[in-house]
Amino acid sequence: MTADLNVGAGRESAAARTLIQLTAVTKRYQGAPAVNDVNLTVEPGDAVAVMGPSGSGKSTLLNLIAGLDRPTSGSVLVAGERVDEMGETGAARFRRREIGMIFQFFNLLEDLTVQDNVLLPAQLAGVRHRRARAQAGELLARLGIDRYANTYPGRLSGGERQRVAIARALVNSPPLLLADEPTGAVDTATGEEIGRLLLDLNHEGQTLLLVTHSPDLAARYAKRTVQLVDGEVISDTVAAGRPERAQEPRP
Ligand SMILES: Nc1ncnc2c1ncn2[C@@H]1O[C@H](COP(=O)(O)OP(=O)(O)OP(=O)(O)O)[C@@H](O)[C@H]1O
Ligand SMILES: [Mg+2]
């Protein structure tokens, strides 16, 4: 499954700038904040694992970055744009262009074929059908699921379904991939495979933010680990053996 799919092709200019910048971000529902005064910077090409106990704010953090949720205070800058200031339509358009998302339970549309699931974000983004189909075909082949193009997701295994979800997340070549417990609903071996796939993508330049409960997965498939407790970042460490990303004070 090593291949040369040019993830994020044509986005060279984005490579020069910080991809995610959260400044003093707080999200409060009721009671204690779900995310509390978080500052976080992610550069293009980073692979960051977000860890922390249940309820520590991991999903909220991802949703804030994706513009699915708005902070109570602070600013969220992604690819140079203020996501926290976008309206719903603007945020949806922004996501289609800049962000791919994958989830624990895949969120595939059961009454669409695998190929049509993967094509959907491209259609919504107005990509020409021929080009979208070529891109989808390439991704399905790359992920080893091209034989299921005309199959409905219900007939696939958990690992295969997650690969469909990954193809769908990548079809518009977004610079940023957000993964919320992508291995939470699959067995260990399949989790390994998904982890390795995400690592391959990262090696090709795909920026990755991965929420996981597995320290093992985080250690092996992310260069950097951000630890949340009660909505606060309590540590932000870079894996040993990667001195080029040695920890630096974060603004
Ligand atoms: N839409 C919402 N309305 C009210 N409270 C919410 C909402 N979303 C999250 N919360 C609360 O915010 C806190 C953080 O939730 P979040 O889902 O971000 O945690 P998490 O770290 O992703 O947990 P898990 O590991 O269980 O997925 C929790 O206390 C949760 O109850
Ligand atoms: Mg969560």
Side-chain angles (χ1 to χ4, degrees):
M1 246 191 295
T2 52
D4 51 356
L5 196 84
N6 205 351
V7 179
R11 294 188 178 276
E12 291 79 5
S13 61
R17 62 176 188 223
T18 292
L19 189 53
I20 304 176
Q21 183 148 32
L22 270 63
T23 309
V25 170
T26 294
K27 174 66 185 183
R28 199 181 280 278
Y29 294 104
Q30 308 98 358
V35 166
N36 193 3
D37 195 24
V38 165
N39 295 295
L40 182 71
T41 304
V42 174
E43 303 297 339
D46 272 355
V48 184
V50 179
M51 301 196 68
S54 182
S56 58
K58 305 180 298 295
S59 295
T60 304
L61 188 73
L62 253 56
N63 290 340
L64 291 168
I65 292 167
L68 288 165
D69 212 341
R70 294 266 199 110
T72 310
S73 58
S75 65
V76 180
L77 206 64
V78 179
E81 295 192 52
R82 282 290 297 269
V83 174
D84 56 298
E85 291 181 337
M86 291 174 188
E88 244 174 69
T89 316
R93 198 178 309 127
F94 177 79
R95 270 193 299 282
R96 284 200 287 272
R97 204 174 57 231
E98 306 288 344
I99 296 176
M101 293 190 85
I102 55 178
F103 305 91
Q104 180 170 2
F105 296 108
F106 329 122
N107 292 4
L108 300 174
L109 296 174
E110 300 297 330
D111 52 354
L112 294 184
T113 63
V114 162
Q115 175 168 258
D116 287 342
N117 265 280
V118 174
L119 281 173
L120 194 60
Q123 282 164 346
L124 291 170
V127 177
R128 294 173 71 95
H129 193 62
R130 185 193 292 259
R131 202 176 134 227
R133 276 181 71 105
Q135 175 75 349
E138 214 173 315
L139 278 164
L140 291 175
R142 156 82 205 269
L143 298 176
I145 46 173
D146 44 335
R147 66 186 176 284
Y148 299 128
N150 298 312
T151 304
Y152 291 87
R155 302 187 51 186
L156 306 185
S157 72
E160 289 161 348
R161 289 159 75 84
Q162 195 56 294
R163 281 187 270 162
V164 176
I166 294 173
R168 180 185 56 184
L170 295 177
V171 73
N172 289 337
S173 303
L176 177 60
L177 183 61
L178 301 177
D180 196 348
E181 289 278 355
T183 63
V186 298
D187 61 59
T188 313
T190 307
E192 283 285 313
E193 188 185 296
I194 302 292
R196 232 173 295 122
L197 191 55
L198 295 175
L199 187 68
D200 282 350
L201 290 167
N202 176 248
H203 282 159
E204 291 161 27
Q206 179 73 58
T207 309
L208 176 67
L209 216 65
L210 165 73
V211 170
T212 176
H213 274 115
S214 159
D216 199 42
L217 213 63
R220 262 181 306 160
Y221 301 121
K223 298 167 193 146
R224 177 178 161 200
T225 300
V226 169
Q227 191 91 33
L228 288 179
V229 171
D230 295 336
E232 292 182 38
V233 174
I234 60 150
S235 73
D236 185 345
T237 54
V238 173
R242 294 181 186 273
E244 77 278 10
R245 292 278 307 145
Q247 191 166 21
E248 50 206 330
R250 308 218 163 253

